[in-house]
Amino acid sequence: MPLSNTILLIVGLAVLILGGELLVRGASRIALRLKMSPLVVGVTIVAFGTSAPELLISIQAALAGSPDITMGNVIGSNICNLALVLGVTALIAPIPVNSDSIKIDWPMTMGCSLLLYFLVQEGYVNDYEGIGFVLLLALYLFFIIRRSRKNHISPEELGIEVEEPTPASKKNMIKDLSLIAIGGAGLYFGSDWFVNSSKDLAIYMGVSERIVGITIVALGTSLPELVTSVVAAFKKETDMALGNLMGSNIFNILSILGITSLISEIEVSEVIVNSDMIWMMGITLLILPFMALNKIVDRYEGLILVGIYLYYTITVIS
């Protein structure tokens, strides 16, 4: 692969991540200034903003006629979250499991995975199904907000950091609007560079776009979650790690595929349906006994998850 394309791939990913961060910072400050609840800001603007890189990549790939990158990004990211990220985090510091993760997060994660699996048997995700995903996401967010308010749960307890505007920044609406504009531009150009470089990589290596989507694209877009989780593990602050990762998987399916399919119908190849999605559901199913048996994901289980991810990646590439 030419050096210029490799550089563009890395730069595109960096610009994507930075763009999402700036967009979240500006939008959340404005929302808080307009008297929106920090909880609502956390589970909507912040959650959507952190999924923005994956969303823009999926839209760009779908519009560019590369549906395997779109689906590979989502399915691969979900596998990466619950195998590599969760496994590495558990290797550093055991992860406690609270009752909500078992009663709410896991059933919703598994339910979304099963729903997607049955819908894509026809070989595509269309706009009607996309509307269903978006409506289901809205209901899920409504449930989280209502339940959290009832139980007086703060955004921090949900593992969401909401940046409150400082007295100095409260007067600076132009700065926050500029952050949104720069962040949006970063997401647009970063996703364009990243997707085009990924396609060039597939051509250069002589592999399918599915393989690039499942491995390089998925791993790249999961890097923020990996870094955040590893830092939290070294600080012994892993209480929300499991819930955050499953929440990310829910958002990947409902928001990314839902919104992308409203813009362009997503074709789904048989190998993704019959192989990658089975892996995704199998790993999701596997973590249930890990969670339920001792109410903790320990280092041994983390090693198993990392081993599964490495085996899956080698299988895909070979």
Side-chain angles (χ1 to χ4, degrees):
M1 185 179 183
L3 181 61
S4 59
N5 281 359
T6 305
I7 294 172
L8 196 60
L9 183 78
I10 297 170
V11 170
L13 178 60
V15 171
L16 259 174
I17 295 171
L18 179 61
E21 173 66 25
L22 294 177
L23 184 72
V24 168
R25 188 177 301 176
S28 60
R29 282 181 183 173
I30 290 175
L32 291 169
R33 191 181 290 114
L34 296 175
K35 307 301 182 184
M36 279 184 66
S37 160
L39 178 64
V40 175
V41 172
V43 299
T44 55
I45 293 174
V46 175
F48 273 108
T50 52
S51 295
E54 289 98 325
L55 175 60
L56 265 291
I57 284 175
S58 295
I59 292 173
Q60 286 275 11
L63 292 176
S66 300
D68 279 359
I69 290 181
T70 298
M71 288 301 298
N73 177 29
V74 172
I75 304 303
S77 290
N78 283 10
I79 291 171
C80 188
N81 282 342
L82 293 186
L84 179 65
V85 179
L86 183 63
V88 169
T89 305
L91 282 173
I92 298 169
I95 302 169
V97 179
N98 60 49
S99 59
D100 284 350
S101 292
I102 299 175
K103 295 177 182 177
I104 300 172
D105 298 329
W106 187 89
M108 188 67 183
T109 304
M110 193 67 190
C112 290
S113 300
L114 288 169
L115 175 63
L116 177 63
Y117 178 72
F118 287 117
L119 288 178
V120 298
Q121 295 299 315
E122 57 195 3
Y124 56 84
V125 181
N126 60 29
D127 52 355
Y128 293 107
E129 292 160 344
I131 291 172
F133 281 155
V134 173
L135 289 175
L136 185 57
L137 177 64
L139 289 173
Y140 175 64
L141 293 177
F142 174 77
F143 169 77
I144 290 176
I145 292 170
R146 184 179 179 187
R147 181 180 172 280
S148 299
R149 281 178 168 169
K150 182 179 178 182
N151 296 329
H152 305 290
I153 298 173
S154 67
E156 290 75 18
E157 291 176 285
L158 290 172
I160 300 170
E161 292 186 14
V162 179
E163 185 177 347
E164 298 275 359
T166 63
S169 68
K170 285 183 179 179
K171 299 178 182 178
N172 205 343
M173 177 74 80
I174 295 177
K175 179 181 177 181
D176 292 334
L177 290 173
S178 298
L179 288 176
I180 293 174
I182 295 170
L187 287 169
Y188 175 80
F189 288 108
S191 61
D192 185 52
W193 298 338
F194 193 72
V195 168
N196 288 330
S197 298
S198 298
K199 292 177 69 174
D200 291 342
L201 177 63
I203 294 171
Y204 178 80
M205 295 178 64
V207 298
S208 68
E209 291 181 352
R210 162 194 165 251
I211 291 176
V212 174
I214 284 283
T215 54
I216 294 173
V217 177
L219 181 59
T221 55
S222 293
L223 279 179
E225 287 93 339
L226 178 60
V227 172
T228 301
S229 297
V230 166
V231 170
F234 277 115
K235 292 180 178 179
K236 310 298 182 184
E237 298 172 356
T238 58
D239 291 17
M240 301 307 304
L242 190 55
N244 289 348
L245 292 172
M246 287 192 285
S248 178
N249 282 19
I250 294 167
F251 260 81
N252 282 347
I253 293 174
L254 297 183
S255 69
I256 294 173
L257 292 183
I259 295 171
T260 303
S261 62
L262 292 177
I263 298 171
S264 175
E265 183 175 282
I266 306 169
E267 295 180 12
V268 187
S269 65
E270 285 189 20
V271 68
I272 288 179
V273 176
N274 298 324
S275 177
D276 303 316
M277 294 192 69
I278 299 298
W279 275 92
M280 178 182 71
M281 292 186 293
I283 292 169
T284 305
L285 182 63
L286 175 66
I287 66 171
L288 180 60
F290 289 177
M291 295 163 57
L293 288 177
N294 298 312
K295 297 294 188 296
I296 193 169
V297 180
D298 60 28
R299 288 186 173 90
Y300 176 72
E301 291 160 341
L303 184 62
I304 293 174
L305 290 172
V306 172
I308 289 173
Y309 181 77
L310 294 175
Y311 177 78
Y312 166 73
T313 303
I314 291 170
T315 302
V316 167
I317 294 172
S318 64

